[in-house]
Amino acid sequence: MYQYQKVSSQEALLLIQFAVKQTESYNNRPIAIAVTGPEGELIGFLRMDGTSPAASRIAQNKAYTSAIDRTETMKMGVRMRGNDNPAFWGDERVTGFGGGIPIIQNNIVIGAICISGLPEADDERVAKDSVKEVFGY
């Protein structure tokens, strides 16, 4: 039997709670937070009051992309702006907006978190800070 590790529902909740707390540093600007397992399926999601529906969709797609491609979405965006056209990938959910990062333990991707609603660099910072808070790295 094949087994794999993934972010637990409790860890997803802790990631979301920490990310929400981080919005205090951004004048309480509302964000969407998505946490997935390594297969890109949602484990946890929150759209804060006042967050745009577009940010919600983008958050889920960023977390999905980061999990299945095992990389930060900011790096995917760099690839996409080069010669690597995502239209040829056959997956309409893949995105290159920054803010999605894989969650890695023992060199294995166990999930991803994404923040959407702030500027891309800030989305990424909140995501990384959340992982550091919950997983210690």
Side-chain angles (χ1 to χ4, degrees), residues 41-54:
E41 295 297 320
L42 276 177
I43 295 171
F45 175 76
L46 176 73
R47 184 175 94 191
M48 294 175 65
D49 295 341
T51 305
S52 77

Side-chain angles (χ1 to χ4, degrees), residues 12-45:
L13 182 58
L14 292 172
L15 288 163
I16 291 168
Q17 289 171 330
F18 186 80
V20 168
K21 180 132 180 70
Q22 291 300 100
T23 64
E24 293 171 3
S25 301
Y26 299 94
N27 296 318
N28 295 312
R29 189 165 167 190
I31 58 174
I33 307 128
V35 180
T36 70
E39 72 291 330
E41 295 297 320
L42 276 177
I43 295 171
F45 175 76

